[in-house]
Amino acid sequence: MTLEDRILRLARLGMTPYQIEEQLGIKHFTIHIGYHKVLQQGYSENEAFFDRTAGEQLSGTVTEKFRRIGLKKGPAKETLTEEEQREKQAQKRAKNAAKRRRYYQRHREEILAYQKLTYQKRREAAKDELNEKHKRREKHWKSSGCIRS
């Protein structure tokens, strides 16, 4: 039996990498470096290893750290029906609308002053543009002789 087969068998039994290294008499952290793939395959074939709760922790400091990093299952994703999704989106929209309304109420005077200022600037710019066009036309007409001075 090769070393890889022995590691696979011990991992299927739910032993930690540290315990496997002790059992086989090999240098510590050798499994993580050279036999990580075999170790993970063994753990994936042992469902009992994944089903352990926090109260049934494996022994050893290396094991607990290893469990927390790589093998702990994440929470199951919540699946919502279409109606629940629509309701959730409607709640989000209502919350954002309330947020915008509160912002507007707090900064109402500033917003109105800014709007008035920009309106005045746009209006003056439009007047200047029209005046400039009118002056150019008059110049053109005077030079062409259409208008008598």
Side-chain angles (χ1 to χ4, degrees), residues 99 101-111:
K99 199 176 190 181
R101 195 171 25 260
R102 284 193 305 271
Y103 179 86
Y104 179 77
Q105 288 169 352
R106 274 185 303 200
H107 301 284
R108 185 166 188 251
E109 291 175 9
E110 295 171 34
I111 293 169

Side-chain angles (χ1 to χ4, degrees), residues 124-139:
E124 288 173 12
K127 274 184 185 178
D128 291 343
E129 188 179 329
L130 285 174
N131 287 338
E132 191 63 36
K133 282 182 182 178
H134 183 66
K135 284 179 187 175
R136 275 188 265 141
R137 274 196 199 130
E138 276 186 359
K139 228 185 230 183

Side-chain angles (χ1 to χ4, degrees), residues 35 41 59 61 70 74 97 104 118 144:
Y35 300 99
Q41 180 184 351
S59 62
T61 55
Y104 179 77
T118 55
S144 64

Side-chain angles (χ1 to χ4, degrees), residues 2-138:
T2 66
L3 184 60
E4 289 179 354
D5 293 334
R6 292 163 71 190
I7 292 171
L8 182 65
R9 184 175 52 85
L10 293 172
R12 283 181 188 149
L13 294 173
M15 292 179 78
T16 66
Y18 184 82
Q19 292 170 337
I20 294 171
E21 291 164 344
E22 286 288 318
Q23 178 85 23
L24 298 176
I26 57 177
K27 188 177 172 187
H28 293 295
F29 297 104
T30 305
I31 289 179
H32 291 293
I33 297 167
Y35 300 99
H36 184 74
K37 189 174 182 179
V38 175
L39 182 70
Q40 293 302 314
Q41 180 184 351
Y43 286 144
S44 68
E45 293 171 5
N46 176 13
E47 292 187 21
F49 184 80
F50 289 107
D51 294 338
R52 294 180 192 264
T53 61
E56 304 170 10
Q57 291 178 357
L58 301 171
S59 62
T61 55
V62 174
T63 305
E64 180 54 31
K65 189 174 181 181
F66 184 71
R67 267 186 90 222
R68 269 188 275 127
I69 292 172
L71 299 174
K72 197 171 185 182
K73 280 188 175 180
K77 282 194 171 182
E78 183 181 337
T79 54
L80 301 174
T81 64
E82 227 176 280
E83 187 176 315
E84 290 173 331
Q85 288 176 349
R86 272 190 251 122
E87 185 178 318
K88 195 172 185 179
Q89 289 172 349
Q91 289 173 348
K92 258 186 182 177
R93 282 193 300 271
K95 186 177 177 182
N96 285 336
K99 199 176 190 181
R100 286 191 302 269
R101 195 171 25 260
R102 284 193 305 271
Y103 179 86
Y104 179 77
Q105 288 169 352
R106 274 185 303 200
H107 301 284
R108 185 166 188 251
E109 291 175 9
E110 295 171 34
I111 293 169
L112 292 175
Y114 178 75
Q115 287 175 342
K116 186 176 180 181
L117 181 69
T118 55
Y119 173 75
Q120 288 172 350
K121 284 181 180 178
R122 282 195 317 257
R123 190 169 178 200
E124 288 173 12
K127 274 184 185 178
D128 291 343
E129 188 179 329
L130 285 174
N131 287 338
E132 191 63 36
K133 282 182 182 178
H134 183 66
K135 284 179 187 175
R136 275 188 265 141
R137 274 196 199 130
E138 276 186 359

